[in-house]
Amino acid sequence: MVARAPDRSFRSLSGLERTASTSRVLNLAAVASQNVGDPEYEASPFFRAAALNGAVIIKHRIRNDEQYIFEQAKRISTKVIIPFERTDLSLGGRSLFVGQRGWQELLNQLRGSQEDEARDVALLEALDELPSLDPFLLREHLKRRDFKIANCYFAISAPDLERMQRFVSGEISKLVDLAYGGGKTTGAPNANISKLVSLLLSGQDDARLEPLRLTLGLEGENFREGIFSWKGFLYYKWVLNSLWPELRGVISELTEIKVVGPRDYEMMSQVKEVGGRVNQAILGQVRKVRSTLQVYDDAFAELTQAGNPMAFRNFLLKSPEMFITLGERTGMVSHIASFWRYRFPKGRPLKVELDELFDILQDFHQGLGEDEDKTAPAAVVGDSALIDPVTTEPIGKAV
């Protein structure tokens, strides 16, 4: 199978070479070009096979005409694209889906090496377990699977990481306080809670987590999986808080963007219709993400405020399945926000040719899938009837 990029640079693989990884893209080609000569990069590569270590990994929404290559129906799969030329991704590359029929045989052909084949296969299967490629969750997940990989592959900025750690610590310290009595039995409460929060976030098994495990009433793998999914919920809660202003900007700018160049009346009409559906679908996905996060908030409140550990225990047992859906939905809107800002940087004219805008909106609409909010009427580009699900105020302005 050959992945060919279209000529338009913003829609091509070559555009990815200049971008960081996102929730849907792990750009190993860009990491390679940015870390030449870095000792840690050389010592702890992502994949052992050099060809794979320059690949572009994508969380791909399976289209109807692609389902036949899988044994079972899938919504999301992990796509591996190995460029023909790393320094010019516009030339395209060879690709495969993890889990497609005969994928390991195809992978053997693409790797170009028999060294550490089992490790690279196991790593791809681990990537396929995740709903998205968010750097924090990717790092945590692979650490739990004992893969030793250089930090440069997980593009989380130091300020973002610090803010996320503070947010997560503020949330889970309530439970640590409940399980350990505020740490009063072993010294300064705040210092002990901080250490236990760091230990919990590290994902390491440690006897000091035993009081927390007993409070939650979980054993072995259920405890480890529940804690990981819980951290995932907290991460996505933080992501949505950080992402929502960007999504508001995308929705608003879709009502303001100016079409330049040749115009076709029929395509203009289609752009307005698809743009409205994209905006409404974004809002619908955000509502659903918030609804899922509310399940967590309610269960956590039952534990920390009502003293009912069974509610939160039951949530943790169900959370791995919920985590997958939450990750898919958050990844959908995160991709839209990141691509839109990459294509239309702040401070630059908000202008685009009609055919490119149509392609962008079609891609967004397909990425959001058929899961859009059916309870709300579709708006059109330029319609001010788009409602913020948080403030209930209109987004954008009428034209």
Side-chain angles (χ1 to χ4, degrees), residues 221-251:
E221 189 63 18
N222 281 338
F223 179 63
R224 287 187 289 273
E225 289 297 321
I227 292 301
F228 177 73
S229 294
W230 178 24
K231 287 191 290 185
F233 267 77
L234 289 169
Y235 173 73
Y236 284 127
K237 188 174 180 179
W238 174 77
V239 166
L240 187 61
N241 286 345
S242 305
L243 183 63
W244 181 234
E246 290 295 324
L247 286 172
R248 279 185 58 102
V250 172
I251 293 170

Side-chain angles (χ1 to χ4, degrees), residues 59-75:
K59 282 294 177 180
H60 177 84
R61 188 180 184 89
I62 301 300
R63 302 179 180 92
N64 290 335
D65 61 357
E66 295 169 331
Q67 289 287 354
Y68 76 96
I69 67 175
F70 296 93
E71 293 288 350
Q72 298 179 332
K74 297 185 67 173
R75 290 185 63 196

Side-chain angles (χ1 to χ4, degrees), residues 42-53 103-104 107-108 110-125 146-149:
E42 301 291 343
S44 302
F46 202 89
F47 291 107
R48 292 289 189 257
L52 278 181
N53 217 41
W103 77 276
Q104 291 193 32
L107 181 66
N108 288 339
L110 297 180
R111 287 181 82 251
S113 168
Q114 298 300 314
E115 182 184 359
D116 287 324
E117 177 185 331
R119 179 197 177 274
D120 284 353
V121 169
L123 180 50
L124 282 170
E125 290 175 337
D146 294 323
F147 289 104
K148 310 300 181 185
I149 296 173

Side-chain angles (χ1 to χ4, degrees), residues 5 15 24 28 34 42 50 63 65 79 122 158 173 181 187 189 229 239 275 290 304 314 333-334 338-339 357 388 391:
R24 286 181 60 183
L28 300 182
Q34 294 163 7
E42 301 291 343
R63 302 179 180 92
D65 61 357
K79 187 173 187 177
S173 63
S229 294
V239 166
R290 289 188 181 280
T304 57
N314 291 337
V333 292
S334 177
S338 61
F339 179 83
L357 179 59
D388 187 321
T391 65

Side-chain angles (χ1 to χ4, degrees), residues 154-218:
F154 309 108
I156 308 175
S157 69
D160 274 356
L161 183 58
E162 183 180 347
R163 284 192 291 270
M164 184 274 298
Q165 294 276 19
R166 282 201 305 267
F167 174 81
V168 172
S169 296
E171 290 274 326
I172 67 178
S173 63
K174 302 169 189 175
L175 179 54
V176 172
D177 184 52
L178 179 68
Y180 295 86
K184 296 177 182 177
T185 59
T186 56
N190 291 338
N192 284 319
I193 289 176
S194 178
K195 289 179 181 178
L196 289 166
V197 165
S198 297
L199 182 64
L200 187 60
L201 286 175
S202 73
Q204 299 174 3
D205 289 331
D206 195 288
R208 288 172 290 178
L209 293 177
E210 185 65 9
L212 184 60
R213 187 191 66 76
L214 291 173
T215 297
L216 298 175
L218 293 171

